[in-house]
Amino acid sequence: MCNTNKVVLLVFCVYAVASSGITDELAFTYLRWKLNLNQERLSEIASGQNIGATRSNTSNIRPDCKAFIQEFGLRSSRFIKCSVDNARPFRFCEGCVVHYRRSKTVYNDIVENDETLDNCRKELLNSDRVQVITSVQRDIDKIWENADCKECFSSISEDTNGTVHYTLTKRTVQFLTVYRNFTHCIPSNRTHNNTVCENCNQFYMEMNKMFDTMLNDPLSPQHVCMDIVDMMNYTRLTWGEQLKCTNVHKEYTAVLTIAVGLLLLPPVFYVALAVYGTKRTRNLIKRQIYTKLNRNDPWMAPFQNYSKN
């Protein structure tokens, strides 16, 4: 049945394959349907036939436009299910990128539908106030953007066969490598007493450094792929609360020493001033009193005159 070139039968094939849950055959059928549809519509335009002649007599929506609805409903529902399945632990971006791209592709096909063909865009997106399809895709895009998923990928594309290709950024790959090393280090060292903190500290420090670099990136400050943010949060939780590992940044030792010294300098100065300043004042007062007494004493007069001579 699926080898026929008639639009109605091809739409039925899409529905039948979608119901059976066979993803690869569904994508192939849908793509082949789009190619055949374009060829048929262009042939009708060239021969002067009525483009709207294929409208179903039992429905207000053409079968070819129904295929858009069915395909978008299938792909968007798979994205929603994927997002829920990957919500905790949060691995949404990399786990659902394929479903996101496929949903986006079908929606773009509807938006970019040529008026010289069937103009499904007007019939599906602009026929009512609610605009369900547009609202669903807007919510999908919002989830994707709120998770800063674009920070994980350098490129995302879908080829003519419906295969999604994506490439992770270089720093994402580096972070995932260190994260895997850290997660492998913990169970392999837990069998020994107090060695996990010492042996895994290098990976933990490296992860923190890489995460801080991404977080303070001047090109996208405070925007890090949520997959990485979740990995870092749970790593710190595991390191501090579960493993009870205390981590001292050695490079901060000198800075902390100088800071403590500067904080202690004013109190030390004022204490020293109070102690030695008071003692010196007392010595001056005693010397002045002694001098005054000597001047008023008649027995000291000959010695004072002798000293003057």
Side-chain angles (χ1 to χ4, degrees):
M1 179 185 297
C2 291
N3 291 327
T4 180
N5 291 326
K6 294 182 179 181
V7 175
V8 177
L9 293 179
L10 285 172
V11 172
F12 177 77
C13 290
V14 172
Y15 180 79
V17 175
S19 300
S20 63
I22 305 176
T23 307
D24 295 336
E25 293 184 6
L26 172 63
F28 177 75
T29 303
Y30 173 70
L31 292 170
R32 185 174 58 182
W33 170 82
K34 288 202 299 183
L35 294 174
N36 292 338
L37 175 64
N38 290 337
Q39 292 177 357
E40 290 187 6
R41 290 297 175 266
L42 292 175
S43 298
E44 290 179 0
I45 294 173
S47 60
Q49 296 181 12
N50 184 9
I51 297 176
T54 58
R55 179 185 293 270
S56 172
N57 294 328
T58 60
S59 175
N60 292 329
I61 301 178
R62 289 183 292 271
D64 44 357
C65 294
K66 277 188 176 180
F68 276 125
I69 296 178
Q70 293 170 352
E71 183 69 8
F72 180 77
L74 180 65
R75 295 192 176 191
S76 59
S77 63
R78 287 178 176 173
F79 172 83
I80 297 301
K81 183 180 185 305
C82 180
S83 62
V84 174
D85 291 342
N86 289 274
R88 188 59 58 211
F90 197 94
R91 302 295 182 268
F92 162 73
C93 295
E94 188 175 2
C96 302
V97 59
V98 173
H99 299 297
Y100 172 76
R101 182 65 260 179
R102 286 177 175 171
S103 173
K104 190 74 171 178
T105 297
V106 178
Y107 181 77
N108 290 339
D109 287 343
I110 298 175
V111 173
E112 298 171 1
N113 187 250
D114 195 346
E115 294 183 0
T116 59
L117 298 178
D118 276 333
N119 195 17
C120 291
R121 174 180 58 188
K122 181 178 179 180
E123 192 160 354
L124 299 180
L125 303 183
N126 302 325
S127 297
D128 57 77
R129 178 175 58 86
V130 179
Q131 299 182 354
V132 175
I133 296 177
T134 301
S135 299
V136 170
Q137 185 58 43
R138 186 184 298 117
D139 291 339
I140 291 174
D141 290 334
K142 185 177 180 180
I143 296 173
W144 188 262
E145 293 172 1
N146 288 343
D148 284 319
C149 289
K150 65 178 182 179
E151 301 296 332
C152 271
F153 307 97
S154 57
S155 64
I156 306 173
S157 62
E158 183 178 357
D159 59 25
T160 55
N161 295 323
T163 303
V164 176
H165 304 275
Y166 63 89
T167 304
L168 297 173
T169 61
K170 182 178 179 181
R171 64 184 185 181
T172 300
V173 174
Q174 293 173 346
F175 184 89
L176 293 177
T177 301
V178 179
Y179 177 76
R180 282 191 292 268
N181 293 336
F182 178 79
T183 54
H184 292 161
C185 178
I186 293 177
S188 61
N189 286 275
R190 267 187 170 176
T191 56
H192 306 284
N193 294 330
N194 300 326
T195 59
V196 61
C197 297
E198 180 180 354
N199 294 341
C200 301
N201 181 67
Q202 177 183 356
F203 300 122
Y204 178 77
M205 293 284 293
E206 190 172 357
M207 285 181 62
N208 271 286
K209 185 176 181 180
M210 294 178 65
F211 182 78
D212 291 341
T213 301
M214 288 187 285
L215 191 63
N216 299 315
D217 187 356
L219 298 178
S220 56
Q222 305 300 317
H223 287 282
V224 181
C225 177
M226 193 60 194
D227 287 9
I228 295 179
V229 174
D230 190 78
M231 291 179 193
M232 192 70 250
N233 288 340
Y234 272 88
T235 297
R236 289 171 174 171
L237 182 66
T238 301
W239 187 259
E241 295 189 7
Q242 297 181 11
L243 298 177
K244 307 298 181 182
C245 295
T246 56
N247 185 69
V248 179
H249 295 273
K250 295 181 179 180
E251 60 270 21
Y252 295 154
T253 303
V255 178
L256 292 175
T257 303
I258 296 174
V260 172
L262 292 176
L263 290 175
L264 294 177
L265 186 60
V268 172
F269 172 77
Y270 284 111
V271 170
L273 181 63
V275 173
Y276 294 100
T278 304
K279 184 176 180 180
R280 185 176 180 182
T281 303
R282 290 177 178 176
N283 292 335
L284 290 175
I285 293 174
K286 289 181 179 180
R287 188 174 299 174
Q288 291 176 356
I289 294 174
Y290 180 75
T291 304
K292 187 179 295 185
L293 291 174
N294 290 338
R295 288 180 180 177
N296 296 330
D297 191 353
W299 294 97
M300 296 297 298
F303 297 98
Q304 293 178 357
N305 296 329
Y306 178 78
S307 60
K308 289 180 181 181
N309 297 329

